[in-house]
Amino acid sequence: MKRILWGGATAASQYEGGFYDGKGLDTQDCRRWVPRLSTDTVQTRLLTEADVQRAKNSFPDDCSFPFRMGSRGYEYWESDLHNIMSLGLDIYRLSISWSRLFPTGFEEQPNPEGVAYYDRIIRALVNAKIKVFVTINHYAIPIAIIDRYGGWRHRDVIDLYLKMAKFVVNRWRDDVDYWLPINEINSGYFSPYNGLGIIGSDDRNYDYESVFNGLHYQMVASALITKYGHETGVRGKFVCMVSCFNYYALHPRPEDNLKLVHDEQINQWWCADVLATGEYGYYAEKFLNDHGVVLDVTDKDREALMSHTCDIVSFSYYSSSICSVDEKREQVPGNLVATLRNPSLETTEWGWQIDPIGLRIAAHKFFDRYRKPVMVAENGLGARDNVDSDGRIRDDYRISYFERHMAQAELAAREGVDIEAYFVWGIIDIVSAGSCEMEKRYGVIYVDADNEGRGTYRRLPKDSFYWYRDFIASHR
């Protein structure tokens, strides 16, 4: 059994802040924190034209738009890397802010301050012998691209993405070990604004044609940057990533199990099938016909997808989901989508169901389906953390979560799954991508900031920090 790489991850829009030094406005900078909506994220994820206009007319430092502040990683990067090195991480996953490099997306030359920022981080990681995993695009898209093209609904966005992505790949071609073209690519179906930069109608609805063509263009763009990397001899391997929902049937009755098959096909396998095998699944044609969707697919698209599949398949995993034809049962929130309550599982304060064995099941499913190395690109627990009077942060609940999930990842590996890496999400407290709040914390490193941007932003290791440090050391 090969050794799993133990890592941590952040996303630029949730972590960096630094809404200056030439950074342009992007889609995440327009998402507003709405108090007391921590489990109902529709208003914060599915934005309308009015929402975006309100954001564009706000002051740049308006704290009700928390992604403009993030965790102030743009300022604290040195101390954060010191903590990451102290943890002994094997690998660190970071993302590139498209609008920090190309503020509107239409510039021919990148913003030098943005380039210098990533130069410093990547060089420091390489010097520390920490493997580098770069997510080329993690949700955020320059808002100017939305203004002109309506997001990924337009084929021309492929070329804009490739201009940015080729710069990134060329600049750090010898330093990066793994490249992920687009984060959680299936998220465009569930959260079209986040994943595709598509603005919803006044009632926050989206048309299937725009969404599924947007997903197609993203997959073509992923294949083309993978082709570019392979043909130009880039050092790193290319990864695809989807959000994993790991479905169970509520009852053993055939109807629930058939629904499981169909839900998994559309929600979980759709994009992974294309990026890992080069072809749309056999089920896609009927689904598209049933929803009146005509895909804009060219012969060049088909050739790119078939000839340049990913090297590694990765997925985010936070909780499992329940399928049933009985839709009247109680629902609970989850990553990107709600699901039915599983009476066998405990839930977090935000309603996410905790299922460590589900991670192991998912790893088997992905490896069995694609026979390519698998990565757990995100796994973590969002919770409220408190600093005690002695300055200590006793997050035993997070340690328990990691112990159980990491043990299942190791068991999957012993059972024959080729697990390349596992990433704690997010290794440093960052703004929650779902609820847009700081107080739903994931990190093993605490950031002294609240939902309204108040605080010193001082970094404090939690108890889980020391536990993870010892865990990694014991697995060397």
Side-chain angles (χ1 to χ4, degrees):
M1 183 181 90
K2 77 178 185 185
R3 182 177 171 276
I4 298 173
L5 298 172
W6 299 103
T10 58
S13 62
Q14 297 166 254
Y15 166 71
E16 289 179 6
F19 195 57
Y20 52 88
D21 272 359
K23 182 186 180 299
L25 190 73
D26 66 35
T27 47
Q28 297 299 292
D29 294 324
C30 296
R31 294 179 64 203
R32 190 165 56 94
W33 171 59
V34 182
R36 294 177 294 282
L37 286 179
S38 58
T39 60
D40 179 9
T41 61
V42 169
Q43 289 187 43
T44 64
R45 289 190 299 108
L46 306 180
L47 272 61
T48 66
E49 186 65 44
D51 294 326
V52 174
Q53 283 303 126
R54 184 186 305 114
K56 289 162 74 173
N57 293 333
S58 66
F59 291 107
D61 58 352
D62 186 338
C63 291
S64 64
F65 297 94
F67 296 100
R68 301 180 190 185
M69 183 72 74
S71 302
R72 291 175 59 180
Y74 190 72
E75 301 163 44
Y76 284 83
W77 69 272
E78 284 185 280
S79 61
D80 288 340
L81 285 182
H82 173 77
N83 282 323
I84 285 168
M85 293 170 192
S86 298
L87 266 175
L89 291 185
D90 297 313
I91 185 168
Y92 177 58
R93 177 185 168 206
L94 70 149
S95 71
I96 302 296
S97 167
W98 190 341
S99 63
R100 191 177 298 286
L101 290 184
F102 296 91
T104 69
F106 296 98
E107 294 83 0
E108 291 305 316
Q109 298 299 321
N111 168 28
E113 285 83 4
V115 176
Y117 171 69
Y118 295 116
D119 274 346
R120 292 191 292 268
I121 292 175
I122 292 173
R123 178 49 48 193
L125 292 168
V126 171
N127 289 341
K129 296 183 171 25
I130 296 172
K131 291 184 181 295
V132 182
F133 181 120
V134 165
T135 304
I136 299 174
N137 183 227
H138 194 129
Y139 288 161
I141 306 167
I143 206 70
I145 294 176
I146 313 306
D147 291 341
R148 182 177 299 186
Y149 291 125
W152 278 95
R153 71 171 78 220
H154 200 291
R155 179 176 282 274
D156 284 357
V157 178
I158 295 175
D159 290 334
L160 292 172
Y161 169 87
L162 288 174
K163 178 179 65 177
M164 178 273 293
K166 286 179 180 179
F167 172 82
V168 170
V169 167
N170 285 332
R171 181 77 181 190
W172 297 292
R173 58 183 297 115
D174 297 323
D175 297 323
V176 172
D177 299 276
Y178 302 94
W179 304 95
L180 173 60
I182 295 175
N183 173 74
E184 284 185 331
I185 195 165
N186 59 334
S187 68
Y189 179 33
F190 312 103
S191 291
Y193 179 79
N194 282 345
L196 296 167
I198 296 177
I199 297 174
S201 59
D202 290 344
D203 57 2
R204 302 184 192 278
N205 286 324
Y206 296 82
D207 66 277
Y208 278 89
E209 184 114 357
S210 294
V211 167
F212 280 92
N213 272 296
L215 290 173
H216 175 72
Y217 297 147
Q218 283 194 333
M219 290 188 287
V220 171
S222 295
L224 289 173
I225 193 61
T226 300
K227 172 184 179 182
Y228 181 79
H230 286 164
E231 291 183 348
T232 59
V234 168
R235 175 172 162 269
K237 296 177 181 178
F238 282 79
V239 184
C240 78
M241 179 190 173
V242 295
S243 180
C244 171
F245 305 111
N246 195 43
Y247 291 99
Y248 306 140
L250 181 62
H251 299 293
R253 63 188 176 190
E255 292 86 354
D256 281 3
N257 282 274
L258 181 61
K259 189 173 192 308
L260 184 158
V261 170
H262 290 156
D263 284 356
E264 208 165 51
Q265 286 172 339
I266 307 306
N267 299 348
Q268 185 165 291
W269 301 131
W270 185 283
C271 295
D273 279 354
V274 176
L275 293 174
T277 73
E279 294 181 293
Y280 277 89
Y282 65 89
Y283 50 84
E285 183 177 1
K286 181 179 186 307
F287 178 88
L288 295 171
N289 287 340
D290 288 349
H291 291 85
V293 175
V294 177
L295 279 189
D296 173 28
V297 182
T298 68
D299 288 341
K300 287 185 177 179
D301 292 350
R302 294 188 184 91
E303 192 280 329
L305 292 169
M306 178 58 73
S307 303
H308 304 286
T309 58
C310 64
D311 303 312
I312 294 171
V313 177
S314 74
F315 60 90
S316 58
Y317 177 82
Y318 295 95
S319 58
S320 54
S321 303
I322 291 288
C323 288
S324 176
V325 293
D326 180 5
E327 296 291 355
K328 295 179 181 179
R329 297 184 66 89
E330 180 186 3
Q331 289 198 329
V332 294
N335 182 30
L336 297 175
V337 294
T339 185
L340 301 182
R341 178 175 292 281
N342 187 332
S344 303
L345 300 177
E346 61 181 307
T347 62
T348 72
E349 180 181 344
W350 280 265
W352 294 26
Q353 301 179 128
I354 299 174
D355 179 11
I357 295 175
L359 185 148
R360 181 171 160 200
I361 294 169
H364 274 283
K365 284 184 175 181
F366 275 87
F367 187 60
D368 184 57
R369 193 175 184 96
Y370 303 118
R371 296 304 171 97
K372 295 187 178 193
V374 169
M375 284 182 166
V376 182
E378 295 178 20
N379 179 237
L381 175 68
R384 297 187 195 277
D385 299 324
N386 296 304
V387 183
D388 292 342
S389 58
D390 60 359
R392 185 172 160 189
I393 301 161
R394 293 170 169 82
D395 60 337
D396 293 344
Y397 39 86
R398 184 170 288 108
I399 293 172
S400 172
Y401 181 96
F402 286 145
E403 281 181 326
R404 290 181 287 163
H405 284 78
M406 292 175 184
Q408 293 298 322
E410 291 183 296
L411 284 170
R414 290 194 190 101
E415 291 165 346
V417 178
D418 184 358
I419 297 184
E420 187 94 355
Y422 166 103
F423 293 87
V424 166
W425 182 264
I427 199 72
I428 302 162
D429 284 349
I430 52 180
V431 176
S432 168
S435 57
C436 300
E437 60 186 325
M438 193 71 189
E439 291 174 11
K440 183 186 180 187
R441 300 178 181 277
Y442 284 89
V444 302
I445 300 164
Y446 183 88
V447 175
D448 177 33
D450 65 15
N451 291 339
E452 299 180 46
R454 297 172 302 198
T456 65
Y457 285 82
R458 184 167 60 110
R459 274 56 170 160
L460 294 170
K462 305 175 188 179
D463 281 4
S464 57
F465 175 97
Y466 301 106
W467 177 87
Y468 194 29
R469 183 189 63 184
D470 294 343
F471 174 91
I472 295 170
S474 70
H475 285 68
R476 286 230 158 92

